[in-house]
């Protein structure tokens, strides 16, 4: 595992998603299924995409009491997703319970990664709404360390944080990074972005790319370009 481009399939339903995936004749890209698609279509969409030969990152960001998360993770594990996630804010006992729930009787399990602090939360909101006074970076690194202590495989983070996460949690601790844009592309609503090549240099293990591929005139070419920049250039 490691070093791959994951396409964020942020489509409202099955039809749009499958016709997008039909564009890919030779490649079987790793895809991210988020809340919108999962809640619209249910677990069947995971089975369907899996049956077509794609690896899946199921981005449902679980956060609840440990027992509930453990049981929900057991269900997601049976769907055969390759990566699933949760909020590190659920604390270490919740993350440990999640791992337990995820582990199948034969000892195998999907990779489990944690969302640290959402990038939509800034310092002011953290202080005002969450009463967290520490700087964001310190909080993100602390949450990443908690995820590591709980036995998780990595975190979702900004490509700008990936290097530091590896420094603190080790190079084998996975960094999965959205916020990727081509050098000549539109940033959209992403504020702090990096190109695939820069994300690679800084040590991202997986990049999550949505609109630069899904909204491209030629999505297959855009995907191939992304893979080239992220995987081939050293
Ligand atoms: O279209 P775009 O490349 O911006 O899509 C990025 C994907 O990564 C979206 O599915 C978005 O929800 C997700 N994401 C993000 N920033 C985060 C966490 C997740 O952009 N901090």
């Amino acid at each position: 595992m490691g070093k791959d481009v994951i396409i964020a399939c942020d489509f409202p339903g099955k039809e749009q998603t499958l016709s997008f995936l039909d564009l890919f004749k030779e490649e079987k890209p790793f895809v991210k299924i988020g809340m919108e698609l999962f809640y619209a279509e249910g677990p069947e969409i995971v089975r369907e995409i899996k049956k077509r030969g794609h690896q899946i990152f199921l981005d449902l960001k679980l956060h609840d009491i440990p027992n509930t998360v453990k049981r929900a993770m057991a269900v997601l594990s049976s769907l055969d997703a390759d990566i699933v996630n949760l909020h590190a804010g659920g604390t270490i006992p919740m993350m440990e319970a999640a791992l337990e729930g995820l582990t199948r009787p034969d000892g195998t399990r999907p990779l489990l990664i944690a969302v640290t602090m959402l990038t939509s939360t800034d310092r002011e909101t953290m202080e005002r709404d969450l009463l967290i006074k520490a700087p964001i970076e310190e909080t993100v690194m602390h949450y990443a360390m908690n995820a590591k202590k709980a036995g998780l495989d990595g975190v979702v983070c900004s490509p700008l944080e990936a290097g530091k996460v590896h420094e603190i949690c080790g190079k084998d601790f996975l960094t999965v990074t959205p916020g990727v844009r081509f050098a000549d592309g539109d940033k959209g609503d992403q504020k702090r972005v990096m190109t695939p090549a820069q994300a690679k240099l800084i040590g991202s293990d997986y990049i999550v790319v949505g609109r630069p591929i899904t909204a491209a005139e030629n999505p297959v070419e855009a995907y191939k370009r992304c893979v080239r920049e992220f995987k081939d250039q050293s």
Side-chain angles (χ1 to χ4, degrees):
M1 289 294 255
K3 299 291 173 203
D4 210 347
V5 174
I6 303 179
I7 304 181
C9 283
D10 293 323
F11 297 109
K14 175 175 166 173
E15 206 179 303
Q16 300 91 326
T17 309
L18 296 185
S19 49
F20 170 75
L21 293 177
D22 281 341
L23 299 172
F24 295 84
K25 308 286 183 220
E26 293 154 23
E27 306 75 12
K28 287 284 175 202
F30 207 127
V31 305
K32 177 169 94 72
I33 298 177
M35 288 184 207
E36 182 187 11
L37 186 57
F38 188 81
Y39 290 146
E41 300 293 347
E44 200 42 44
I45 190 72
V46 179
R47 296 193 189 97
E48 173 92 36
I49 295 177
K50 196 73 200 181
K51 212 160 57 192
R52 289 167 161 239
H54 298 271
Q55 288 186 279
I56 296 178
F57 168 19
L58 199 47
D59 179 19
L60 300 180
K61 302 187 180 74
L62 277 67
H63 189 166
D64 207 319
I65 59 170
N67 184 56
T68 303
V69 169
K70 177 177 166 181
R71 296 169 71 121
M73 283 295 183
V75 176
L76 300 187
S77 188
S78 75
L79 290 178
D80 205 17
D82 297 278
I83 305 180
V84 297
N85 65 357
L86 45 64
H87 275 284
T91 74
I92 292 178
M94 188 200 80
M95 291 193 268
E96 287 172 341
L99 262 187
E100 235 179 89
L102 213 51
T103 307
R104 305 180 185 109
D106 65 359
T108 62
R109 63 168 176 79
L111 292 173
L112 179 60
I113 60 177
V115 174
T116 55
M117 189 57 67
L118 290 170
T119 46
S120 50
T121 309
D122 59 15
R123 175 139 197 200
E124 193 194 325
T125 324
M126 236 168 64
E127 269 202 60
R128 188 194 59 217
D129 293 1
L130 305 177
L131 290 183
I132 297 174
K133 299 217 185 310
I136 291 194
E137 191 187 270
E138 200 181 318
T139 311
V140 167
M141 296 308 151
H142 182 68
Y143 281 21
M145 255 333 275
N146 284 351
K148 187 175 160 81
K149 280 184 198 155
L152 269 65
D153 303 293
V155 287
V156 184
C157 62
S158 146
L160 297 144
E161 292 158 351
K164 184 93 183 178
V165 168
H166 279 139
E167 227 173 78
I168 290 179
C169 300
K171 70 170 173 34
D172 294 334
F173 194 66
L174 300 172
T175 51
V176 179
T177 64
V180 174
R181 291 293 179 267
F182 291 121
D184 53 0
D186 184 2
K187 276 206 222 171
D189 53 358
Q190 296 280 13
K191 295 204 167 52
R192 302 191 307 153
V193 297
M194 270 196 185
T195 65
Q198 287 168 331
K200 180 198 162 131
L201 276 179
I202 212 156
S204 293
D205 295 293
Y206 294 88
I207 50 174
V208 176
V209 189
R211 287 157 295 177
I213 295 174
T214 56
E217 210 164 293
N218 185 336
V220 177
E221 274 314 310
Y223 171 72
K224 286 185 180 165
R225 177 180 173 192
C226 223
V227 171
R228 261 196 324 270
E229 288 190 17
F230 184 61
K231 287 171 90 167
D232 301 344
Q233 194 191 84
S234 47

